Amino acid sequence: MTKNKFQGMQLKAATATVNTRALQNNLQQIKQIAPNSKVLAVVKANGYGHGLLQVAEQLDAANAFGVARIEEALTLRAGGIVKPILLLEGFYCAADLAMAVTNNIHTVVHNIEQLQVLEQSELDMPAQVWMKIDTGMNRLGVRAEDVSEFVARLEACPNVAKPLRFISHFCCADELDNDFTVKQIACFDEVTRDLDGERSLAASAGILSWPDSHYQWVRPGIVLYGVSPIPDSAESLGLQPVMTLSASLIAIKEVKQGESVGYGAQWTAERDTRIAVVAIGYGDGYPRMAPNGTPVLVNGRKVHTVGRVSMDMLTVDLGPDATDKVGDTAILWGEGLPAEEVAEHIGTIAYELVTKLTSRVVMQYV
């Protein structure tokens, strides 16, 4: 009796393997780059897709955590995280402010509406406030000419703990030849020079490329996860990829020259070749717009996507002489294939790749 070749085979759909040792390594690299700064580890967007609480639990050497939503902060508190947590966009309403104070969650304050809520609220204790200053990004923050008046009102407000902290954000720090970053540093220095309180300006690109912006706090985000926000490769910076996204080859097909593959017949074989079907698609968060030629790693070599990405599958050209088998693993990004490289082919950034994985991707921590 012929043995079924699937007996004992364990195919796997989309799996994100998170390397906690790499995460800790990256934090240590950041501390070496900015040795005189405290670290506010940014874990928003579900820990950049790596798992909010799981990431925070591994970053015990960080001094504080940054999130975008109060729900993220409360999840950390419920999970046993006791270190300071900062709402990077501040509170959205008076109820959020009260909840933040009750749970010892710090808040950014960046506009007059938030200031008014602070002045008018009845709180159990003063709020820990990081005042955001707009140094040129024109997104969130108090304009430089309004800083003195804004600080005076915060200082006079009994609902605000003293001293204040001050924060701003770069818009071009990943462009190493752009002098706008120098102007932002100068603006931040100018408006905070005579103010008491710790300062924070550098996020990932600022930490790596602009040492004058380190101040008392740095705010690493994407670099924690082993992705470089600047042209230098993550490996050259001592960073290790934290997430490896993989899935099994679930079919291998012989395709003849002139035959097409996938929806819309967008790709046609120019030679006889072998095509592998990989158990991952846009339903898992792999971008549907990934063009033909996007790299995928199979058995240590780069192959390329062909045809349109489907909801549950994508296809790669293994080449006519390939010996890969059903059950082999394809790496979509991570160990051996930087997410930055994949993102460049797709026309996006690695931030979007790692944060858009869906809930059906199996998370595995090693």
Side-chain angles (χ1 to χ4, degrees):
M1 187 177 188
T2 303
K3 185 177 180 180
N4 187 324
K5 67 178 181 179
F6 282 100
Q7 268 188 318
M9 186 179 293
Q10 292 186 325
L11 305 183
K12 65 176 183 177
T15 301
T17 302
V18 176
N19 185 331
T20 58
R21 183 174 295 174
L23 184 67
Q24 294 164 355
N25 167 80
N26 297 340
L27 176 57
Q28 291 306 313
Q29 290 297 317
I30 292 160
K31 291 169 78 73
Q32 290 177 26
I33 293 169
N36 299 315
S37 302
K38 290 180 277 190
V39 175
L40 189 147
V42 181
V43 295
K44 63 182 180 178
N46 192 33
Y48 282 62
H50 295 68
L52 172 63
L53 183 59
Q54 294 88 341
V55 165
E57 288 174 337
Q58 296 297 323
L59 294 177
D60 189 60
N63 303 97
F65 296 101
V67 298
R69 308 281 190 267
I70 194 162
E71 291 80 9
E72 295 171 324
L74 295 175
T75 296
L76 292 178
R77 285 284 183 257
I81 301 299
V82 298
K83 289 189 174 182
I85 301 170
L86 175 63
L87 294 175
L88 293 165
E89 297 174 10
F91 55 90
Y92 287 178
C93 63
D96 286 355
L97 172 61
M99 196 175 299
V101 169
T102 300
N103 289 278
N104 190 28
I105 297 166
H106 297 200
T107 182
V108 160
V109 173
H110 59 77
N111 63 25
I112 189 64
E113 290 81 8
Q114 290 175 327
L115 175 57
Q116 290 169 345
V117 170
L118 267 170
E119 291 173 330
Q120 297 165 11
S121 294
E122 294 184 8
L123 302 176
D124 295 335
M125 63 189 75
Q128 297 284 341
V129 169
W130 298 55
M131 177 182 160
K132 187 155 195 174
I133 298 168
D134 182 2
T135 54
M137 190 169 190
N138 287 313
R139 194 174 61 175
L140 299 181
V142 179
R143 292 182 65 85
E145 59 265 28
D146 299 324
V147 165
S148 295
E149 180 184 351
F150 210 94
V151 168
R153 288 177 65 173
L154 285 171
E155 294 280 8
C157 181
N159 281 333
V160 176
K162 314 300 185 301
L164 300 169
R165 295 179 178 90
F166 302 94
I167 188 170
S168 189
H169 196 57
F170 288 133
C171 57
C172 303
D174 57 336
E175 301 173 15
L176 308 188
D177 57 351
N178 191 329
D179 67 356
F180 195 78
T181 298
V182 176
K183 295 176 182 177
Q184 285 193 268
I185 295 171
C187 177
F188 193 62
D189 280 341
E190 176 65 25
V191 299
T192 61
R193 181 177 297 126
D194 298 325
L195 300 175
D196 294 329
E198 296 174 328
R199 296 180 286 176
S200 178
L201 181 54
S204 291
I207 294 167
L208 297 176
S209 303
W210 304 93
D212 288 349
S213 70
H214 289 174
Y215 297 104
Q216 290 82 21
W217 286 88
V218 292
R219 309 190 307 273
I222 198 67
V223 292
L224 281 172
Y225 308 98
V227 175
S228 174
I230 61 175
D232 292 15
S233 71
E235 183 179 6
S236 71
L237 297 166
L239 303 172
Q240 299 172 3
V242 175
M243 176 193 290
T244 296
L245 180 66
S246 63
S248 290
L249 308 187
I250 59 172
I252 294 178
K253 307 279 291 184
E254 302 285 346
V255 175
K256 301 296 184 183
Q257 181 180 5
E259 293 181 339
S260 60
V261 173
Y263 287 120
Q266 285 191 340
W267 180 85
T268 301
E270 296 180 352
R271 59 179 178 173
D272 293 354
T273 190
R274 307 189 84 202
I275 299 297
V277 181
V278 186
I280 188 171
Y282 64 79
D284 304 290
Y286 191 89
R288 183 178 181 274
M289 75 284 297
N292 294 326
T294 302
V296 175
L297 200 64
V298 175
N299 290 323
R301 75 187 193 284
K302 287 181 186 176
V303 297
H304 298 93
T305 60
V306 293
R308 186 179 292 168
V309 175
S310 305
M311 183 181 291
D312 313 302
M313 295 170 278
L314 58 79
T315 47
V316 296
D317 183 1
L318 298 174
D321 302 319
T323 58
D324 311 286
K325 304 179 299 297
V326 168
D328 288 350
T329 297
I331 292 176
L332 291 309
W333 62 71
E335 191 70 34
L337 180 60
E340 302 96 302
E341 181 179 342
V342 178
E344 184 177 359
H345 276 82
I346 295 173
T348 184
I349 56 175
Y351 299 68
E352 184 174 19
L353 295 184
V354 295
T355 60
K356 288 185 73 173
L357 297 183
T358 68
S359 60
R360 77 175 185 178
V361 174
V362 176
M363 301 298 294
Q364 176 177 293
Y365 296 86
V366 298

